[in-house]
Each structure stands twice: as C-alpha cells, then as structure tokens.
Amino acid sequence: MARFLQLTDLHVVAEGAHASGVLDTRALLEAAIDRLIAMRAALDPLDALLVSGDISDDGSAGSYGFARAQLDRLGLPMFVVPGNHDARAPMRAAFADLDHVPGSGQIDWIAQVGDTRVIGLDTLVEGQGGGRLHDDSLAMLRDAVADATGPVLVMLHHPPIRTGIRFMDAIGLENTAALNATLADARADITLIAGHVHGVHHGRLGRHRVFTAPSTCSGFALDRRADAVTGFYLGPTGCAVIDTGADGIISAVPLDPADGPFSF
C-alpha cells in the first residue's frame, strides 16, 4: 500500500488580493500547512502529496510561487494537476523541477509510488469553468491501466460524477462518458480522486469508485433545489488521506479549528 495526502482548491491569489473579494487564501493555505505539520505524527507515514488543481485562483506567477513555497514545507514528494482556475504556463514554471511535469502540452503524467500507480490527468480548458479530457490523455490512461498489477489512483480536477450542486455540475467534466468507456474494460483496482466541488462526495464511474476532497479555503453547500443560491461558505475546509491497501481507506481530514480531544 501507499498513503497519500490530497490537497485541492487552494485558490491562491497575488499578494494583497482576496479570492472572490473575500477569502485571504494565502493566509488560509499557510494556516492549513501549519495545521498539517502539527498533525503529521497522526497521519504518517505519508508517501506523497497529491494536489488536484485550482492551485491558483488568478493564474498569477506570484500565486504559484507562494503556493509552491507553502507546499514544500510538508517535505513530501509532490504531484500536481491543473484545475479550471489555473493557467498552464505559470503553473508549469512553478513546478518545472518536478520530474513528472512535462515540458509542454497537457500536464498529464504517470508515476509509481510504492505499489501504487498514480496517473494525473489534465482537464483544464483555459478560459472556461468546465473541464474536458483530450483524446491523448484518454489514450495514455488506457495504456497506463492496462498492465497495472497494483492499486491505481487517477487524479483529475473535475470529478466524473454529478454531486447535486447545480452550479458546479454545470461546469463539470464534459466527456465523462469517454472516460467511462476508457476504463470500462480495466481490471485494475482503480480509484478516481478529484477536487473542484469543495466538499466530500463519493460515487462511481462504472465499477470504479470516485472521491472528491474538501478545499483548503471554502466549502459549497449541498442544495439540490432548482433556485439554490450560487455561492460559497467560509467552511468547512479540509483535505484527505488516501490509503491504497486492501481496505482502500479514504479519510476526510477537517482543517477548521476545533477544541479537544476531551475525555468521554
């Protein structure tokens, strides 16, 4: 097995700015990393850090520089994919020293962490909120899972499930059916992990399970009404810990301040 820490939807902005005019995402990320460092003994052994997109909110070089410096504080091997708020060029520049980041094109990659094959898929369509997988990405994925003998994690930003949060489902993954067809015949133990929806949701793509992690900066309410308000809340915030052993445990980890523990 391998154990991964998943962070997503950091939405870091340029110095002095606030995401959506409200969120001080630089301070929120720094506090999240502080909290995770303090929690490290409870979470270890961690083998790698997975960052599933929307690292930046504004695509600025300064936002990526700050995010990278904070993520580096965790001292873990790091793997990243872009989200809909990201911009490939400055993101690539900030993470260019990571072996898995290609020098051009889609930020798609394959890595091996212990017995677990980790596959990163780029769903970014620059200039729009929704995501799409390129044919080349799907072909890479098909080949990567065909000969996998251990657990497989597929990381992408846009989840291939509908959550019931209407304004987010409207900017979801456009070609989920193509992804489903790509994985339909795969016999490997595959788990797909994503972000984008700022909350914890479990579902399935065919026989493969799908999990979305909470954001480090804000949360979206589950409101299935047709007239549900479009907007975010200041919490809950969090991250996820993923074990790829026989039990395949995925744990959501809250990052909001809380008193305790208290004796029963």
Side-chain angles (χ1 to χ4, degrees):
M1 66 165 272
R3 180 173 295 163
F4 301 89
L5 177 65
Q6 182 191 358
L7 300 184
T8 194
D9 295 273
L10 287 53
H11 288 278
V12 177
V13 290
E15 187 174 5
H18 288 73
S20 301
V22 175
L23 296 168
D24 186 351
T25 49
R26 294 168 78 99
L28 286 165
L29 177 58
E30 186 170 12
I33 300 299
D34 287 344
R35 174 81 171 133
L36 286 166
I37 290 171
M39 296 168 61
R40 187 64 178 268
L43 303 179
D44 271 339
L46 292 169
D47 294 299
L49 169 64
L50 306 177
V51 188
S52 51
D54 279 1
I55 296 169
S56 174
D57 191 72
D58 58 12
S60 64
S63 67
Y64 286 111
F66 181 85
R68 178 67 194 271
Q70 292 301 315
L71 295 169
D72 280 344
R73 291 172 58 205
L74 292 170
L76 289 167
M78 189 187 316
F79 299 90
V80 300
V81 295
N84 55 291
H85 281 267
D86 288 308
R88 278 194 197 87
M91 178 177 166
R92 194 190 311 277
F95 296 96
D97 60 305
L98 302 183
D99 290 342
H100 68 281
V101 175
S104 62
Q106 300 292 111
I107 302 179
D108 295 323
W109 45 264
I110 304 167
Q112 192 73 27
V113 180
D115 68 346
T116 302
R117 182 164 295 181
V118 188
I119 302 165
L121 298 177
D122 183 337
T123 60
L124 169 61
V125 181
E126 293 194 275
Q128 73 173 48
R132 185 172 183 83
L133 288 163
H134 282 215
D135 290 344
D136 289 348
S137 303
L138 293 170
M140 182 201 76
L141 175 64
R142 181 180 293 107
D143 292 343
V145 301
D147 63 349
T149 58
V152 176
L153 279 182
V154 178
M155 178 168 69
L156 66 171
H157 180 68
H158 295 83
I161 55 174
R162 294 291 180 258
T163 64
I165 304 173
R166 292 173 182 266
F167 65 88
M168 292 306 295
D169 288 345
I171 55 169
L173 185 66
E174 295 175 4
N175 55 341
T176 295
L179 176 59
N180 189 26
T182 299
L183 296 177
D185 296 328
R187 305 323 308 163
D189 175 15
I190 299 172
T191 300
L192 298 100
I193 61 171
H196 192 51
V197 293
H198 292 222
V200 179
H201 300 271
H202 296 262
R204 289 203 171 268
L205 182 71
R207 67 181 188 85
H208 307 296
R209 65 177 179 165
V210 179
F211 169 83
T212 69
S215 164
T216 60
C217 72
S218 64
F220 298 151
L222 178 60
D223 188 338
R224 296 176 178 275
R225 294 174 293 182
D227 60 348
V229 174
T230 299
F232 62 88
Y233 290 80
L234 300 183
T237 65
C239 59
V241 173
I242 302 164
D243 285 326
T244 60
D247 293 334
I249 300 297
I250 301 178
S251 304
V253 179
L255 292 174
D256 299 310
D259 292 332
F262 299 99
S263 299
F264 291 102

